[in-house]
Amino acid sequence: MPRPMHLAAHFPGVNATTVWADPRSRSQIDFSSFVHLARTAERGKFDFFFLAEGLRLREHNGRIHDLDVVGRPESLTVLNALAAVTERLGLAATVNATFNEPYELARRLATLDHLSAGRAAWNVVTSSDAFTGENFRRGGYLDRADRYTRAAEFVATARELWDSWTPDGASRPFAHEGEQFTISGEFTVPRSPQGHPVVIQAGDSGEGREFAASAADIIFTRHGTLEAGRDFYADVKARLAAYGRQPDDLKIMPGVTVVTGDTDAEAQERAYEIRRQQVSPQNAILAAEQLWGRDLSAYDPDGPLPDVDPVLDSGLVRGRVLHGDPVGVVARWRAIAEAKGLSLRQTVIETTTRQSFIGSPRTVAAELTAFVDERAADGFILVPHLTPGGLDDFVDRVVPLLQESGAFRSEYSGSTLRSHLGLAEPVWKG
């Protein structure tokens, strides 16, 4: 039998994956969009529905970035509303540990956990970005090296608050004194049906992996190949023993995209067209400017790559996390463009938009199963390219094949998110 697979749905939004130009694309803020995707995920028996967070609109050369969405509602508010129109689906909110306080956030998460009967999850993210911090009283005061220090104590403090109520419903005073927080009092929300909300950590860095091994129930990651997935999986699982944890105590779920067609060839054609929609000529220039740190509006997107060196820390792009060394990435782009005879736009398409799984429903189901069976992942967080109907095809055509093979559940066996994930309720530490 295949290893059990976990599936989650990411609501499309601020990323290069979403195709806003597609006529089937709808509002990213209207409640009906959230309802459609969440109910589709629940119809497919997914573990949870996942919302990202944006605390400030990104800027590109002093203007709102072209791919950003103007209007991004607060995650927990949306999920509290979705709790009323779903029954089993987990509800995961991305909330920043840098610009919130433990008592206030622990209370909001515990409230969602009660309203949803034990289906809440918290994706812990951090920020050392002063640009984002301008929206907050404290500003971007945290050094990059300190952000995980604060996040680790934040999660530990939230768990102390959740544990200040006994499993049989008695409230006890709490008192926490640490480097980041000194608080005391009484928590207002009783212990929830699943004990604590599920904790998710997003990140691939060494710091992120260690934080996930010590404190998270799920790690949301990204890797493109089976080999890279195996290496990541082995590394993170090996870190758990140092914290007295077992391999199954942490689920590894990379974010992936899927394109299907009646045949593998048709799926490849669809994927190519999606890539071209994702990277218009204008977006190709914007992507290059993010890397080069320069105004490249004079360059032809269908011409060669810029022949100038990147400018480090130019400030051209604000509010976006840049991955990797720009000099090294530019060198890699140039090597790929020269080897394959690619234009600037073609190079951006080649290097930034490759879908994870492409093929007929049977091909995609087999490849997803192989990733889990060969311990490159415990499951996947699907990132559709359409809002809100981008999950429909996967649920209608791929999920039944996964269920038929025994790789994925046919029905929910429990009512809480922890039961979907096979995670034990946290031991009370009152």
Side-chain angles (χ1 to χ4, degrees), residues 1-6 223 226-227 229-230 233-234 237 248 252 254 357 364-380 401-402 405-408:
M1 288 291 292
R3 291 180 65 227
M5 182 185 301
H6 298 284
H223 47 254
L226 184 64
E227 183 179 2
R230 280 189 192 135
Y233 191 97
K237 296 282 187 174
D248 285 344
I252 297 176
F357 297 94
V364 168
E367 291 181 352
L368 292 170
T369 302
F371 261 69
V372 174
D373 284 348
E374 298 190 34
R375 286 175 168 74
D378 292 311
F380 309 93
L401 297 175
L402 294 172
S405 70
F408 189 63

Side-chain angles (χ1 to χ4, degrees), residues 39 110 112:
R39 284 181 168 167
L112 174 61

Side-chain angles (χ1 to χ4, degrees), residues 290-306:
Q290 290 165 12
L291 185 56
W292 263 266
R294 293 174 176 269
D295 182 342
L296 302 176
S297 57
Y299 284 80
D300 181 1
D302 294 318
L305 269 63

Side-chain angles (χ1 to χ4, degrees), residues 231-245:
D231 290 344
F232 182 90
Y233 191 97
D235 176 75
V236 172
K237 296 282 187 174
R239 297 173 188 248
L240 291 164
Y243 301 97
R245 306 181 70 194

Side-chain angles (χ1 to χ4, degrees), residues 84-407:
V85 296
T86 56
E87 295 180 355
R88 299 290 186 92
L89 184 70
L91 303 168
T94 301
V95 188
N96 197 296
T98 304
F99 301 116
N100 284 283
E101 295 297 324
Y103 180 88
E104 184 265 347
L105 180 54
R107 188 167 179 254
R108 290 162 61 203
L109 287 162
T111 299
L112 174 61
D113 218 22
H114 273 282
L115 292 179
S116 64
R119 296 186 280 137
W122 171 26
N123 178 41
V124 184
V125 294
T126 64
S127 176
S128 59
D129 177 15
F131 174 69
T132 300
E134 290 174 359
N135 279 348
F136 298 87
R137 177 176 57 82
R138 292 190 309 273
Y141 75 101
L142 276 185
D143 290 334
R144 184 177 180 84
D146 294 334
R147 58 184 186 148
Y148 278 115
T149 301
R150 178 182 169 91
E153 188 175 333
F154 198 122
V155 173
T157 306
R159 285 175 168 153
E160 290 177 30
L161 297 172
W162 295 327
D163 275 343
S164 67
W165 282 74
T166 67
D168 58 2
S171 171
R172 298 184 177 185
F174 67 82
H176 174 91
E177 184 171 350
E179 294 182 4
Q180 300 290 326
F181 312 105
T182 299
I183 58 174
S184 62
E186 290 193 8
F187 196 55
T188 61
V189 186
R191 192 173 178 86
S192 75
Q194 62 174 349
H196 297 170
V198 168
V199 172
I200 306 170
Q201 193 274 328
D204 288 342
S205 68
E207 291 173 312
R209 297 181 192 202
E210 201 65 27
F211 178 54
S214 68
D217 301 303
I218 300 170
I219 183 167
F220 175 32
T221 181
R222 58 189 180 93
H223 47 254
T225 66
L226 184 64
E227 183 179 2
R230 280 189 192 135
D231 290 344
F232 182 90
Y233 191 97
D235 176 75
V236 172
K237 296 282 187 174
R239 297 173 188 248
L240 291 164
Y243 301 97
R245 306 181 70 194
Q246 300 299 314
D248 285 344
D249 291 343
L250 175 66
K251 307 301 180 184
I252 297 176
M253 300 181 66
V256 301
T257 56
V258 173
V259 178
T260 60
D262 290 341
T263 64
D264 290 351
E266 180 183 306
Q268 290 290 347
E269 290 178 5
R270 287 189 63 196
Y272 176 73
E273 289 305 315
I274 290 169
R275 291 173 191 154
R276 287 182 58 82
Q277 287 179 298
Q278 290 167 336
V279 184
S280 66
Q282 179 191 16
N283 287 340
I285 293 295
L286 290 173
E289 288 181 341
Q290 290 165 12
L291 185 56
W292 263 266
R294 293 174 176 269
D295 182 342
L296 302 176
S297 57
Y299 284 80
D300 181 1
D302 294 318
L305 269 63
D307 55 1
V308 294
D309 293 331
V311 177
L312 303 181
D313 301 321
S314 69
L316 184 77
V317 179
R318 302 207 296 168
R320 171 184 286 275
V321 177
L322 300 178
H323 299 282
D325 167 35
V327 174
V329 176
V330 165
R332 182 170 64 86
W333 279 25
R334 285 174 172 157
I336 292 171
E338 182 178 355
K340 298 187 176 183
L342 302 179
S343 67
L344 170 57
R345 183 185 180 197
Q346 289 170 331
T347 303
V348 175
I349 291 172
E350 177 75 15
T351 56
T352 66
T353 62
R354 189 166 302 284
Q355 281 78 16
S356 307
F357 297 94
I358 304 169
S360 68
R362 195 162 297 278
T363 295
V364 168
E367 291 181 352
L368 292 170
T369 302
F371 261 69
V372 174
D373 284 348
E374 298 190 34
R375 286 175 168 74
D378 292 311
F380 309 93
I381 298 177
L382 273 69
V383 186
H385 68 276
L386 282 180
T387 305
L391 200 64
D392 295 11
D393 194 53
F394 183 89
V395 167
D396 292 336
R397 305 185 70 189
V398 179
V399 167
L401 297 175
L402 294 172
Q403 293 170 330
E404 181 182 294
S405 70

